[in-house]
Amino acid sequence: MSNLSELQTLQHPLFEQYQLHVQIKRDDLIDPIISGNKWRKLKYNLKHVKENGYKGIISFGGAYSNHIHALAFACKQHDLLAIGVIRGEAHFAENFTLSKAKQWGMALKFVDRITYRKRDTVEYLQQLSQQYPGYFIVPEGGSNTLALKGVAEICHELNQQTHYDTLLTPVGSAGTLSGLIAGDNNQHKILGIAVLKQTDYLANEVRALLNDKVDRLFNNWQILNDYHDGGYAKFSPESLKKLQDFSAITGVPFEPIYSGKMILALLDLITINYFPPRHKIVLLHTGGLQGLGGLIEQKKLKASEWPLPLAQQAQ
Ligand SMILES: Cc1ncc(COP(=O)(O)O)c(C=O)c1O
């Protein structure tokens, strides 16, 4: 993609009431399958893999991982082999997300939780390299140094598209936030909304990804840890209703695991006067709408109330 991803201005009564200007960077529209931050994070990983003659990529994820879904498709597109190390049991291979990854040619290797916890240790990674020579290993969520370079391009695009004060993003493994901090280079406030519980460690993930330079070089970022709504992929009926209403008013689809938690945080922050009047906010839509399919399959959402985008149905 050489064009910039679309930036849309959102209308909402709350924004009017609090005199806020809110825009959304629709990275979810970049590609129907490799959508949002996945596209950004994989861009330079794929380039590196091709340029260095690797035969494929190994990466890690849960049974409904957006990253695994996008990676499988990207590898197919680039004629690369793909191995997904998946936390969980083999029957997950038939679920909404992994059945597609498998169909696109990814080999799925299911491991128990204890093994999965070793995914970043030197010994485990060496073992994988020996077992699968010629594969490049990408960490969970795709968050490595190459990913940051791709994410940083969002900031360069935004600088051409608009003027703003604060950029909001959901935070899982912190690769996206770290890339934004690096790309923004202290021009704006970068606010990360943690989607998991007990995430005090995330600030250190950012420090690790930015080589510990982050505190010396960048002072414009913060992670809010209290908007997880009970934990990863958890949400209350009230939150779902708020999110549906927000989508109906703005016309933008969200899912409640990542981008939805950012929206719920935004709405709360507005009502506690976190943003002064005339503040200009940009929301990063990180994609992940395929995740709705998994939530519907697990009966956490009703298909009639959470329509899957056409691109996700057609795969
Ligand atoms: C749709 C979506 N949004 C946001 C995130 C969080 O990004 P990161 O893991 O880089 O913090 C993820 C997970 O990677 C995701 O799948």
Side-chain angles (χ1 to χ4, degrees):
M1 188 201 59
S2 57
N3 299 330
L4 316 186
S5 77
E6 210 175 307
L7 184 73
Q8 298 172 344
T9 300
L10 298 182
Q11 310 294 343
H12 191 284
L14 207 59
F15 305 161
E16 258 180 59
Q17 189 187 335
Y18 286 81
Q19 296 177 55
L20 299 169
H21 186 256
V22 182
Q23 292 178 296
I24 186 159
K25 180 108 172 117
R26 295 293 305 272
D27 269 15
D28 58 309
L29 299 177
I30 292 179
D31 183 282
I33 296 170
I34 314 166
S35 109
N37 62 347
K38 305 302 158 221
W39 196 92
R40 303 284 186 177
K41 290 196 211 183
L42 288 175
K43 178 177 173 184
Y44 290 103
N45 273 293
L46 291 164
K47 191 162 181 276
H48 176 81
V49 163
K50 296 289 265 191
E51 285 173 358
N52 289 280
Y54 288 97
K55 65 180 173 198
I57 297 181
I58 303 183
S59 196
F60 310 85
Y64 289 97
S65 163
N66 292 322
H67 165 63
I68 289 291
H69 184 264
L71 177 67
F73 192 77
C75 285
K76 176 180 146 70
Q77 263 188 343
H78 287 82
D79 285 327
L80 291 166
L81 298 173
I83 299 175
V85 178
I86 310 296
R87 183 188 54 229
E89 292 146 26
H91 65 85
F92 287 138
E94 306 313 320
N95 80 17
F96 182 86
T97 302
L98 296 182
S99 60
K100 307 232 170 74
K102 204 170 62 168
Q103 177 194 318
W104 295 324
M106 179 180 262
L108 300 173
K109 179 180 153 64
F110 290 91
V111 297
D112 60 31
R113 279 172 187 275
I114 295 166
T115 311
Y116 193 79
R117 248 181 249 139
K118 297 184 199 156
R119 66 192 176 279
D120 293 323
T121 63
V122 177
E123 300 76 40
Y124 187 61
L125 295 176
Q126 270 173 356
Q127 193 188 313
L128 280 179
S129 296
Q130 276 164 12
Q131 203 176 346
Y132 304 106
Y135 281 80
F136 183 63
I137 302 181
V138 171
E140 182 184 59
S143 292
N144 58 10
T145 311
L146 291 161
L148 304 200
K149 189 175 167 192
V151 172
E153 291 180 350
I154 296 171
C155 299
H156 311 153
E157 291 184 17
L158 280 173
N159 285 341
Q160 296 175 53
Q161 289 173 304
T162 189
H163 294 284
Y164 63 102
D165 301 299
T166 298
L167 175 59
L168 253 75
T169 183
V171 182
S173 60
T176 306
L177 176 67
S178 303
L180 294 175
I181 294 169
D184 183 67
N185 202 13
N186 280 324
Q187 295 178 74
H188 308 93
K189 173 140 193 194
I190 314 285
L191 204 51
I193 308 299
V195 304
L196 301 98
K197 209 155 67 173
Q198 292 165 344
T199 42
D200 292 340
Y201 67 90
L202 276 177
N204 282 336
E205 291 294 311
V206 172
R207 293 185 181 107
L209 282 162
L210 292 172
N211 297 327
D212 289 328
K213 284 184 297 194
V214 62
D215 294 317
R216 198 158 35 86
L217 296 180
F218 308 114
N219 51 21
N220 58 330
W221 61 280
Q222 191 183 358
I223 301 174
L224 300 183
N225 294 308
D226 292 331
Y227 288 107
H228 53 73
D229 208 5
Y232 181 73
K234 301 220 164 106
F235 31 79
S236 64
E238 297 75 35
S239 300
L240 289 181
K241 174 78 175 74
K242 267 196 211 167
L243 196 53
Q244 278 176 310
D245 290 347
F246 189 83
S247 282
I249 294 170
T250 58
V252 181
F254 297 98
E255 46 68 45
I257 299 180
Y258 292 101
S259 55
K261 289 205 175 158
M262 170 181 69
I263 297 303
L264 295 170
L266 170 78
L267 296 175
D268 186 67
L269 291 168
I270 291 176
T271 54
I272 60 169
N273 292 305
Y274 183 91
F275 305 106
R278 285 177 290 287
H279 205 73
K280 293 194 168 74
I281 300 165
V282 173
L283 308 169
L284 177 63
H285 197 316
T286 50
L289 294 168
Q290 76 84 26
L292 290 173
L295 294 171
I296 292 166
E297 184 175 81
Q298 294 170 85
K299 303 207 176 350
K300 291 185 178 179
L301 297 181
K302 288 193 186 127
S304 54
E305 293 175 8
W306 292 85
L308 261 187
L310 281 180
Q312 307 300 336
Q313 294 173 26
Q315 291 161 35

